[in-house]
Amino acid sequence: MSSLLYYALPTLGSYVLLSIFLLRRPRLLHTPWVPAFCPRLGAHRGGSGERLENTMEAMENSMTQRADLLELDCQLTRDGVVVVSHDENLLRQSGVNRDVSSLDFKELPLYKEELEVYFSPGHFAHGSDRHMVRLEDLFQRFPRTPMSVEVKGENEQLIHKIASLVRRFDRSEITIWASEKSSVMKKCRAANPEMPFCFTVSRGFWLLLLYYVGLLPFIPIPEKFFMCFLPTIINRTYFPFSSPGLNQLWAVVSKWLIMRKSLIQHLEQRGVQVIFWCLNEEMDFEAAYSLGATGVITDYPTALRHYLDNHEAAA
């Protein structure tokens, strides 16, 4: 036993020291990704706190605030049109209990006159534009604006249509694949491997595991974006569970796991851009940028632009 410890302890100590050394200097092992763009201000659902979510009016409003990234979700209509919509079922957005896939594009109902802002409970957005928009229309209107396109379900037709539109508008480098599911992401990457992509949920947990066991500095990272909720918003503006107790527990655990400056700095040095969502208050903007994040996704682009301009002027 003593001889085993004689060899094991120095080996373990050397591994720990090497891991810490390379965590701080990842470029000794890895060539960093060269970013095509740097998204400091991302507009969640096009800026859903200031105008009705995912409408052209919301996107235009965000662009007046110099948004660097438009975050959106896509669905497919019955006649094969890719539309920008967070929900497949239209009840919350329009009051019509129909799925997007059960209607042709011209049959899609208008949005409600007001919609509650999901990450600011009790606050409502309004707007004069209540029409759902085609992804193609956004690509035409904002040809060089980076966008994150999330695919929620395993709809291969939708995935291939998005990939085709991205190629047609020559924007593979500035359009990000996003999905919570690794099975969906695999299909997305196969449909257009030129597009950068985010960590999925399972890949995010794998990243954290590698970080805590010290293996992260030795492992290649194919993702170019780590988009993650900021733990400090749980039980304030984000309620992932119906139980307050579970939300409180997850707030404590996720804060301990994720809010590590050494992890964020390591990813950034490897060219993996870290973006926290969905932050709507100045204290959360401050927390995210203090950790070293590249950017923030918000429902209120005007508030985030005001924060960024003030801090850049003071720097």
Side-chain angles (χ1 to χ4, degrees):
M1 183 66 180
S2 58
S3 60
L4 178 62
L5 290 175
Y6 178 81
Y7 292 105
L9 290 178
T11 302
L12 179 61
S14 299
Y15 165 72
V16 170
L17 291 174
L18 181 61
S19 177
I20 293 173
F21 178 79
L22 292 174
L23 184 74
R24 296 173 179 173
R25 299 167 182 83
R27 296 183 182 184
L28 293 176
L29 283 184
H30 307 281
T31 301
W33 294 113
V34 178
F37 58 94
C38 180
R40 296 284 285 167
L41 191 165
H44 181 243
R45 303 185 195 178
S48 63
E50 299 179 7
R51 299 292 189 276
L52 293 176
E53 65 183 60
N54 291 323
T55 58
M56 187 66 77
E57 184 182 33
M59 311 288 176
E60 294 274 9
N61 176 69
S62 293
M63 294 308 296
T64 63
Q65 300 303 323
R66 309 196 307 278
D68 307 301
L69 178 73
L70 297 176
E71 186 277 338
L72 46 93
D73 310 85
C74 286
Q75 309 290 345
L76 192 67
T77 63
R78 183 173 57 193
D79 54 344
V81 177
V82 181
V83 295
V84 179
S85 174
H86 181 271
D87 301 353
E88 162 67 2
N89 185 274
L90 296 167
L91 184 61
R92 177 189 66 86
Q93 299 170 178
S94 301
V96 178
N97 191 16
R98 294 285 299 274
D99 289 346
V100 173
S101 58
S102 71
L103 298 169
D104 290 345
F105 177 70
K106 291 184 178 180
E107 298 173 332
L108 293 173
L110 296 175
Y111 283 113
K112 294 176 181 178
E113 292 184 356
E114 66 173 20
L115 289 172
E116 186 172 18
V117 184
Y118 184 81
F119 287 97
S120 291
H123 294 79
F124 292 84
H126 306 81
S128 58
D129 180 7
R130 297 169 57 197
H131 294 87
M132 294 182 69
V133 65
R134 302 183 303 171
L135 182 63
E136 180 176 356
D137 296 330
L138 289 186
F139 286 174
Q140 288 178 334
R141 180 65 187 87
F142 311 110
R144 303 315 303 162
T145 299
M147 298 183 194
S148 171
V149 179
E150 182 170 353
V151 180
K152 296 186 179 299
E154 308 219 14
N155 187 330
E156 292 197 38
Q157 185 183 8
L158 171 62
I159 291 169
H160 283 282
K161 282 184 175 288
I162 293 171
S164 177
L165 283 170
V166 169
R167 286 196 181 95
R168 177 148 67 90
F169 286 89
D170 189 26
R171 48 177 298 123
S172 290
E173 288 190 350
I174 59 171
T175 309
I176 307 167
W177 282 125
S179 182
E180 292 184 350
K181 301 177 182 178
S182 292
S183 58
V184 174
M185 185 60 75
K186 183 178 180 180
K187 292 179 171 66
C188 292
R189 293 180 62 190
N192 189 337
E194 298 173 359
M195 292 168 57
F197 60 99
C198 300
F199 279 85
T200 61
V201 172
S202 61
R203 283 282 298 167
F205 280 114
W206 179 243
L207 171 78
L208 292 174
L209 177 63
L210 292 174
Y211 170 72
Y212 282 105
V213 299
L215 288 173
L216 184 58
F218 306 99
I219 305 297
I221 300 176
E223 292 89 351
K224 292 186 179 180
F225 292 90
F226 180 62
M227 294 186 182
C228 180
F229 69 91
L230 189 73
T232 56
I233 69 174
I234 297 177
N235 252 5
R236 288 177 41 240
T237 62
Y238 178 41
F239 303 89
F241 305 106
S242 57
S243 166
L246 280 178
N247 283 323
Q248 185 61 42
L249 177 62
W250 183 230
V252 173
V253 171
S254 59
K255 182 178 180 180
W256 186 86
L257 287 173
I258 297 169
M259 294 182 71
R260 299 288 179 176
K261 187 172 285 191
S262 60
L263 170 61
I264 307 304
Q265 290 175 341
H266 177 83
L267 292 174
E268 291 282 346
Q269 287 186 57
R270 292 178 65 170
V272 179
Q273 299 190 72
V274 178
I275 302 173
F276 284 112
W277 57 261
C278 177
L279 313 186
N280 293 334
E281 299 178 12
E282 184 168 327
M283 62 181 292
D284 297 316
F285 302 160
E286 182 69 29
Y289 290 118
S290 295
L291 283 171
T294 303
V296 161
I297 290 175
T298 182
D299 289 308
Y300 297 94
T302 301
L304 181 52
R305 171 50 58 199
H306 184 262
Y307 170 87
L308 289 171
D309 288 350
N310 284 346
H311 282 72
E312 287 169 6

